[in-house]
């Protein structure tokens, strides 16, 4: 192991240790926020997987909703345990993701963005339309918080640790994908699609794979959210929520694995601090989105990289995978 | 049977007949030149063979498999790999990483392997082979440089290295010496010959520059107005009045 | 469906189609010139409606004057959007699009905080009564939409094909590089395109104000429809946008009458998906070489 690896390992241990003691130090309200934060962590990291190939979608939050609705159906009708609903919801979201991406694959860049908006909206509208199955505009209620053995996840502390374990597993897997050859193949497609095809990369296949992998993890986030909130409704997965996901990514950056995480942390803090602003808050976040896209398109991570380059000249280890803000 | 067999290949763009009923047959171990004046249909022919366009009619058989109408990635998998006229590379990756990325087919990657981390050993073997390719093309001193920081000539050679990483049976080069000075051109023609002599590769060279083709290839096919004008050795072709006329017609005779 | 309902639905389809056309043409125009994809186009529509609410509903100006006021108000908004969002993000279509999503949030909050959220603003109907077509009655306010839309589209066509600035704008849409070499100022053209695009959205909103619930979030429902129309028509094609708008006007209205609004929305989205699969360049779009 190199020195950088040791520093990284030490940092990781520190973060995990902090995460383990946190629930005993914070107020109940803050703990609820931390639980939602862990769910959002899975969501924001999963968004980056298709974005690595250059495919930015507007249907990601809807796919999270697919996970949430699957969990709602499975746990209210079949009474399945949370240990089954979460993976099953992920599989359903992954498969549906693979199906909806097939027509979208013919489009690229902006076209893909709009196509995913429309197809996502189609999926969302089915929840509004089929009242008997999905509860219509008011959604579904009475989803259990889940139990593991005799531990009731209704209580915030066990729920928090459950989410922490799941988030840790998901992030580890996504990190491995990011650093693996498949991750590099995804980025190769973003860098030069024509060259990627020429060296034998089946571009549509890998784009679909990246998309479905992303929706798989979005499905996990949705399942966890449904269990935690106990209710789902179509409004919660609409374009407004999607815009907030975009804000996290844009603020943090999407070139490395850490960008979206940084963005989520910063925006979550900002969101809580500005609670007194009430209805004026969206204005602030709309402004934030414009500010970053216009003045700092690489997000905070590009700022950090610049600072690091200035402090340690000549070091250039993480420069590899860098989709940046997706192009046309 | 020949390695690459093209029969009656035709491509029509609306009313324009870009490639008309072309027959070509390229044997294993050949260095074949395909020349023609600008707008003769060389690039279209190139794009048809590499799978960028589907032909209007005709068949392309590579190594016993009909590949006409197949996607470029499929054709690359079959062992026919192309390079680009532009400097095609993966920016913000180093030279070695570029070649590693291009070795996609040779590295049996799956999501499961990625998650379990069992793809590391294969990657070591891949890396060794990629270093061999870079050494062969004289790019070893630059292996840790970012691809986009290379000089133009080296970027073009990196394009060839990326194609070689696929381990092709046939490599099709699209104007490999365009924009190069005489020294660089000599290096590339040397690489092409060694590819065939030392690595038993079949090379198809689509070139605009007559001199390079004359010096490198044993057999040349001349395309004009989308049709096969003539074929023969460099001596036969350069002595053929029809070829001279074609090039004179476009005022590009550079011999 | 009896003949009276059929006629009624037919008339409503034309009204819907005309308004979709005006909105979508604005969107397509901005996209045609330097690929400006405006997510806040629906909010421009909303601001147009609020202009009428304020000028006519609150201040009591004559209705036509209030409608015309929407032109400078929303055109100015379009120009500002071009200058501060689209120009700095010109090389990245997605960035401009996402940034205008931020602008949409800002406009929703601003309007909502000034004139109230939740409650819908009722704009009194200026033209009472209805046109009677053999037993089928269509409110004059709705009828008015059709000639207004046609007049706007005709004015736009005249401008693009006969005015000097309009010709320059078309040249710029076809090939910005050549246009620039011919001495056309690209920045001025993008600004002009956004001004027209904004004015069209604003006018559409202004006309709809008396017959559409006016809320800060009314742009939401419009933006998806507008993008469906533009994608179906072929992104940059104005004629395509008009064709697709009329088609979608009929599809939406008929499905709404036969089934419900949610189904209509779903059918619209499905139509777009089919166009994307079968003909990704859109109905009247050109294939890029």
């Amino acid at each position: 192991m190199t020195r950088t690896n040791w520093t990284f390992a030490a940092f990781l241990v520190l973060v995990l240790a902090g995460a383990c003691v946190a629930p005993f130090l914070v107020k109940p309200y803050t703990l609820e926020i931390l639980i939602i934060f862990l769910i959002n962590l899975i969501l924001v990291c999963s968004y980056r997987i298709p974005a690595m190939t250059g495919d930015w979608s507007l249907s990601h939050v809807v796919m999270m909703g697919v996970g949430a609705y699957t969990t709602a159906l499975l746990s209210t009708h079949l009474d399945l345990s949370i240990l089954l609903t979460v993976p099953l919801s992920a599989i359903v979201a992954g498969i549906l993701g693979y199906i909806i991406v097939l027509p979208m694959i013919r489009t690229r860049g902006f076209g893909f963005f709009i196509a995913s908006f429309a197809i996502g909206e189609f999926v969302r509208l089915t929840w509004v339309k089929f009242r008997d199955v999905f509860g219509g505009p008011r959604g579904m209620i009475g989803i259990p918080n889940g139990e593991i053995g005799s531990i009731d996840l209704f209580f915030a502390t066990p729920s928090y640790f459950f989410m922490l374990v799941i988030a840790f597993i998901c992030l580890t897997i996504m990190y491995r994908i990011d650093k693996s050859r498949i991750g590099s193949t995804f980025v190769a497609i973003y860098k030069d699609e024509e060259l990627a095809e020429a060296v034998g990369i089946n571009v549509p296949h890998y784009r679909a794979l990246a998309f479905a992998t992303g929706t798989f993890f979005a499905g996990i986030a949705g399942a966890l959210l449904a269990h935690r909130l106990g209710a789902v409704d179509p409004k919660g997965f609409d374009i407004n929520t999607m815009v907030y996901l975009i804000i996290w990514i844009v603020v943090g950056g999407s070139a490395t694995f850490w960008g979206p995480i940084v963005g989520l942390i910063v925006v979550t803090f900002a969101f809580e601090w500005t609670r007194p602003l009430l209805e004026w808050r969206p204005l602030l976040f709309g402004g934030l989105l414009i500010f970053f896209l216009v003045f700092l398109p690489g997000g905070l991570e590009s700022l950090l990289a610049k600072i690091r380059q200035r402090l340690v000249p000549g070091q250039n280890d993480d420069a590899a995978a860098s989709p940046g803000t997706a192009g046309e | 049977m020949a390695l690459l067999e093209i029969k009656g290949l035709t491509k029509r763009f609306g009313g324009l007949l870009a490639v008309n009923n072309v027959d070509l047959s390229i044997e294993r171990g050949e260095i074949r030149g395909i020349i023609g004046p600008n707008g003769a249909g060389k690039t279209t022919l190139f794009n048809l063979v590499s799978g960028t366009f589907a032909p209007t009619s005709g068949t392309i058989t590579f190594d016993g498999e009909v590949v006409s109408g197949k996607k470029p990635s499929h054709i690359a998998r079959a062992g026919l790999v192309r390079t680009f006229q532009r400097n095609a590379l993966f920016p913000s990756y180093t030279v070695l990483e570029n070649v590693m990325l291009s070795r996609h087919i040779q590295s049996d990657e799956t999501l499961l392997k990625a998650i379990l981390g069992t793809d590391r050993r294969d990657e070591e073997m891949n890396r060794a082979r990629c270093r061999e390719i870079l050494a062969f093309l004289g790019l070893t001193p630059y292996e840790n440089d970012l691809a986009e920081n290379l000089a133009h000539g080296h970027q073009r050679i990196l394009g060839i290295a990326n194609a070689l990483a696929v381990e092709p049976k046939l490599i099709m080069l699209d104007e490999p010496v365009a924009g190069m000075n005489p020294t660089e051109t000599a290096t590339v023609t040397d690489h092409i010959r060694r590819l065939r002599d030392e690595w038993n590769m079949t090379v198809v060279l689509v070139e605009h520059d007559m001199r390079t083709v004359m010096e490198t290839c044993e057999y040349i096919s001349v395309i004009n107005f989308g049709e096969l004008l003539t074929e023969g050795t460099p001596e036969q072709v350069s002595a053929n009045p029809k070829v001279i006329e074609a090039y004179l017609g476009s005022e590009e005779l550079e011999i | 469906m009896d003949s009276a309902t059929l006629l009624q639905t037919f008339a409503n389809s034309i009204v819907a189609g005309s308004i979709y056309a005006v909105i979508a043409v604005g969107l397509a125009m901005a996209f045609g010139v330097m690929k400006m994809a405006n997510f806040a186009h629906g909010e421009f529509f909303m601001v147009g409606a609020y202009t009428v609410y304020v000028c006519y509903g609150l201040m009591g100006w004559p209705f036509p004057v209030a409608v015309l006021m929407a032109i400078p108000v929303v055109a100015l908004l379009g120009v500002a959007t071009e200058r501060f969002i689209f120009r700095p993000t010109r090389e990245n279509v997605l960035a401009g699009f996402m940034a205008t999503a931020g602008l949409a949030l800002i406009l929703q909050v601003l309007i909502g905080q000034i004139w109230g959220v939740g409650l819908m603003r009722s704009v009194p109907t200026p033209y009472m009564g209805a046109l009677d077509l053999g037993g089928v009655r269509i409110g004059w306010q709705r009828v008015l939409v059709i000639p207004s839309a046609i007049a706007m589209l005709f004015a736009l066509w005249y401008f693009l094909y006969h005015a000097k600035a309009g010709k320059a704008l078309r040249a710029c849409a076809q090939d910005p590089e050549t246009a620039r070499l011919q001495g056309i100022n690209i920045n001025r053209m993008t600004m002009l395109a956004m001004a027209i695009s904004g004015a069209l959205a604003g006018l559409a909103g202004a006309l709809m104000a008396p017959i559409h619930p006016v809320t800060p979030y009314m742009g939401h429902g419009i933006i998806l429809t507008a993008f469906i129309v533009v994608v179906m028509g072929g992104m940059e094609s104005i004629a395509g946008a008009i064709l697709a708008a009329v088609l979608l006007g009929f599809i939406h209205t008929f499905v709404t009458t036969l089934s419900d609004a949610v189904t209509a929305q779903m059918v619209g989205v499905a139509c777009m998906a089919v166009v994307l699969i079968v003909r990704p360049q859109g109905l009247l779009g050109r294939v890029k070489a």
Side-chain angles (χ1 to χ4, degrees):
Chain A
M1 264 181 149
T2 62
R3 215 179 111 243
T4 337
N5 278 351
W6 279 113
T7 323
F8 176 63
F11 175 72
L12 199 66
V13 168
L14 217 63
V15 168
L16 279 176
C20 286
V21 288
F24 306 106
L25 302 175
V26 299
K27 283 179 284 198
Y29 170 76
T30 315
L31 189 54
E32 284 299 330
I33 292 185
L34 283 177
I35 291 172
I36 300 297
F37 171 82
L38 289 171
I39 296 171
N40 287 340
L41 197 57
I42 301 173
L43 181 70
V44 79
C45 286
S46 68
Y47 190 79
R48 206 180 85 85
I49 300 175
M52 283 165 87
T53 71
D55 283 334
W56 285 57
S57 87
L58 272 177
S59 60
H60 207 69
V61 162
V62 174
M63 297 316 289
M64 179 195 195
V66 170
Y69 269 91
T70 309
T71 287
L73 290 172
L74 289 176
S75 54
T76 54
H77 293 299
L78 299 177
D79 229 5
L80 289 187
S81 145
I82 189 166
L83 292 175
L84 284 173
T85 55
V86 173
L88 285 175
S89 302
I91 291 169
V92 170
I95 292 174
L96 191 68
Y98 195 82
I99 293 169
I100 66 163
V101 80
L102 291 180
M104 280 154 44
I105 217 92
R106 295 191 62 170
T107 59
R108 198 70 167 121
F110 179 71
F112 188 89
F113 212 50
I114 286 297
S116 62
F117 181 20
I119 292 177
E121 197 61 13
F122 185 87
V123 173
R124 205 181 68 85
L125 287 169
T126 55
W127 304 330
V128 182
K129 168 133 177 88
F130 298 104
R131 261 162 220 273
D132 301 342
V133 189
F134 302 113
R138 309 182 70 173
M140 298 173 74
I141 51 163
I143 305 160
N145 293 118
E147 294 171 346
I148 298 165
S150 58
I151 306 163
D152 190 347
L153 296 182
F154 166 77
F155 300 104
T157 307
S159 175
Y160 170 83
F161 279 104
F162 177 71
M163 303 290 180
L164 186 63
V165 170
I166 304 275
F168 182 75
I169 296 171
C170 289
L171 261 66
T172 307
I173 293 175
M174 286 190 266
Y175 182 76
R176 297 212 111 162
I177 292 174
D178 184 82
K179 293 290 168 208
S180 75
R181 177 161 263 285
I182 287 219
S184 312
T185 302
F186 291 158
V187 181
I189 290 170
Y190 166 74
K191 294 284 181 193
D192 194 327
E193 196 171 332
E194 203 185 7
L195 176 59
E197 263 286 336
V199 296
I201 296 172
N202 187 341
V203 171
H205 170 77
Y206 277 91
R207 283 175 62 202
L209 182 68
F211 191 85
T213 310
T215 58
F216 176 90
F217 286 105
I220 292 183
L224 295 176
L225 188 72
H227 277 300
R228 191 60 210 154
L229 300 181
V232 291
D233 70 282
K235 194 115 186 55
F237 304 105
D238 70 1
I239 190 75
N240 253 335
T241 317
M242 185 64 223
V243 170
Y244 276 91
L245 173 53
I246 298 267
I247 293 175
W248 299 337
I249 306 265
V250 167
V251 168
S254 63
T256 70
F257 184 78
W258 308 106
I261 299 177
V262 170
L264 175 63
I265 293 172
V266 170
V267 177
T268 305
F269 265 110
F271 201 77
E272 291 309 319
W273 281 336
T274 54
R275 210 161 263 282
L277 293 179
L278 302 167
E279 292 92 355
W280 288 93
R281 247 186 333 179
L283 184 139
L284 186 78
F285 287 96
L288 199 67
L289 184 58
I290 297 175
F291 175 85
F292 270 86
L293 285 165
V294 171
F295 296 106
L296 196 61
L300 286 173
E301 100 195 320
S302 69
L303 205 64
L304 291 176
K306 259 182 220 158
I307 292 169
R308 205 169 63 168
Q309 238 168 16
R310 200 161 280 184
L311 291 178
V312 199
Q315 200 176 344
N316 193 16
D317 51 351
D318 242 351
S322 53
T325 25
E328 243 305 63
Chain B
M1 195 182 167
L3 182 61
L4 179 66
E5 194 81 60
I6 295 171
K7 281 221 168 73
L9 196 67
T10 302
K11 178 69 185 179
R12 205 184 282 277
F13 292 109
L16 179 80
L17 204 53
V19 170
N20 187 14
N21 203 22
V22 168
D23 294 325
L24 277 178
S25 175
I26 292 161
E27 298 291 338
R28 264 168 231 275
E30 228 188 287
I31 300 182
R32 170 69 65 98
I34 295 177
I35 59 168
N38 263 342
K42 288 181 313 237
T43 304
T44 308
L45 181 68
F46 197 101
N47 284 327
L48 288 171
V49 176
S50 63
T52 310
F53 301 147
T56 308
S57 63
T59 56
I60 303 165
T61 314
F62 179 74
D63 203 14
E65 185 194 352
V66 177
V67 294
S68 33
K70 291 271 166 45
K71 281 157 53 75
S73 58
H74 181 101
I75 293 172
R77 250 161 221 280
L80 195 167
V81 178
R82 68 169 294 180
T83 65
F84 292 87
Q85 253 180 60
R86 63 190 174 91
N87 292 2
L89 42 82
F90 298 114
S92 78
Y93 282 98
T94 66
V95 169
L96 181 61
E97 283 167 343
N98 256 270
V99 186
M100 288 286 285
L101 272 179
S102 305
R103 221 175 150 66
H104 167 85
I105 297 173
Q106 301 299 330
S107 54
D108 168 36
E109 60 186 38
T110 63
L111 268 183
L112 195 65
K113 275 190 177 180
I115 294 162
L116 299 176
T118 53
D119 54 355
R120 302 278 156 83
R121 210 170 52 87
D122 302 355
E123 284 301 86
E124 277 318 305
M125 281 165 60
N126 279 327
R127 196 183 305 274
R129 174 64 183 149
C130 289
R131 289 219 161 94
E132 234 173 273
I133 292 169
L134 290 178
F136 186 87
L137 296 173
L139 287 176
T140 306
Y142 315 102
E143 73 172 33
N144 292 321
D145 291 1
L146 287 179
E148 67 267 34
N149 294 345
L150 290 182
H152 170 79
H154 286 135
Q155 289 196 2
R156 310 278 341 213
I157 297 174
L158 177 59
I160 300 176
N162 278 338
L164 289 179
V166 185
E167 304 292 345
K169 298 182 188 113
L170 185 153
I171 181 166
M172 200 158 64
L173 303 168
D174 195 358
E175 305 206 0
V177 299
M180 283 190 177
N181 64 37
T183 326
E184 290 170 328
T185 305
T187 314
V188 171
T189 43
D190 182 50
H191 288 327
I192 293 171
R193 278 199 218 97
R194 282 173 53 231
L195 270 177
R196 197 270 310 269
D197 298 342
E198 294 171 30
W199 285 8
N200 291 324
M201 206 159 287
T202 311
V203 182
V204 175
L205 186 63
V206 176
E207 240 322 329
H208 181 71
D209 177 31
M210 283 268 260
R211 187 170 304 169
T212 308
V213 180
M214 296 293 168
E215 283 170 8
T216 323
C217 307
E218 289 115 5
Y219 204 74
I220 294 171
S221 305
V222 187
I223 309 276
N224 197 21
F225 297 118
E227 291 180 28
L228 189 64
L229 189 68
T230 182
E231 289 188 307
T233 61
E235 296 74 31
Q236 290 169 333
V237 166
S238 51
N240 189 323
K242 279 199 284 187
V243 176
I244 296 168
E245 193 189 327
Y247 267 78
L248 276 177
S250 62
E251 292 168 23
E252 287 181 54
L253 191 72
E254 286 166 18
I255 302 176
Chain C
M1 200 184 255
D2 61 87
S3 63
T5 323
L6 186 72
L7 196 64
Q8 182 79 55
T9 314
F10 192 83
N12 288 343
S13 302
I14 293 176
V15 174
S18 333
I19 215 73
Y20 291 172
V22 175
I23 296 168
V25 161
L27 200 58
M29 243 193 76
F31 195 79
V33 180
M34 301 306 280
K35 304 251 183 300
M36 294 179 287
N38 186 9
F39 196 90
H41 200 68
E43 275 61 38
F44 282 18
F45 171 82
M46 179 265 288
V47 171
Y50 268 87
T51 309
V52 167
Y53 165 67
V54 172
C55 293
Y56 169 74
L58 295 182
M59 304 196 319
W61 295 7
F63 182 72
V65 179
V67 169
L68 290 177
M69 266 308 285
I71 298 178
V73 169
V74 191
L76 212 64
L77 194 58
V79 169
T81 308
E82 191 282 328
R83 184 63 193 85
F84 298 111
I85 294 182
F86 286 123
R87 203 178 294 178
T89 58
R90 196 173 276 172
E91 71 295 338
N92 188 337
V93 184
L94 275 190
F97 187 60
M98 291 192 262
T100 46
L103 176 66
L105 285 180
I106 292 176
L107 290 174
Q108 284 168 11
V109 171
L110 275 182
I111 299 283
Q113 290 306 307
I114 298 171
W115 288 290
V117 199
L119 282 170
M120 90 190 172
R121 308 284 109 189
S122 61
V123 175
T125 314
Y127 304 106
M128 299 303 241
L131 172 71
D132 200 314
L133 286 171
V136 179
R137 292 167 57 82
I138 308 155
W140 280 115
Q141 197 62 47
R142 285 181 176 278
V143 175
L144 179 72
V145 169
I146 303 168
S148 311
I150 293 172
M152 277 183 244
L153 295 176
F154 182 79
L156 179 67
W157 171 82
Y158 190 85
F159 172 75
L160 286 177
Y161 285 83
H162 295 277
K164 192 161 172 273
K167 285 179 189 168
L169 202 57
R170 279 196 304 135
C172 187
Q174 258 151 24
D175 187 352
E177 198 42 43
T178 314
R180 204 177 55 79
L181 291 176
Q182 283 170 352
I184 295 172
N185 183 335
I186 300 285
N187 286 343
R188 202 172 290 166
M189 286 301 120
T190 48
M191 226 173 219
L192 179 63
M194 277 308 291
I196 296 172
S197 171
L200 287 171
L203 276 171
L207 280 174
M208 292 302 277
I211 46 177
H212 190 291
V214 177
T215 79
Y217 307 106
M218 67 193 284
H220 242 265
I222 287 292
I223 190 69
L224 180 64
T225 307
F227 270 107
I228 292 174
V229 167
V230 171
V231 169
M232 278 175 70
M235 280 322 288
E236 294 156 42
S237 161
I238 287 177
I242 294 172
L243 173 70
V246 175
L247 270 176
L248 201 71
F250 272 84
I251 292 169
H252 267 182
T253 313
F254 269 85
V255 177
T256 307
T257 310
L258 292 170
S259 179
D260 58 273
V262 176
T263 317
Q265 196 60 280
M266 287 171 78
V267 170
V269 172
C271 285
M272 172 175 142
V274 170
V275 169
L276 275 175
I277 298 165
V278 180
R279 208 178 146 79
Q281 75 272 31
L283 296 175
L284 298 185
R286 284 169 301 161
V287 189
K288 286 185 202 98

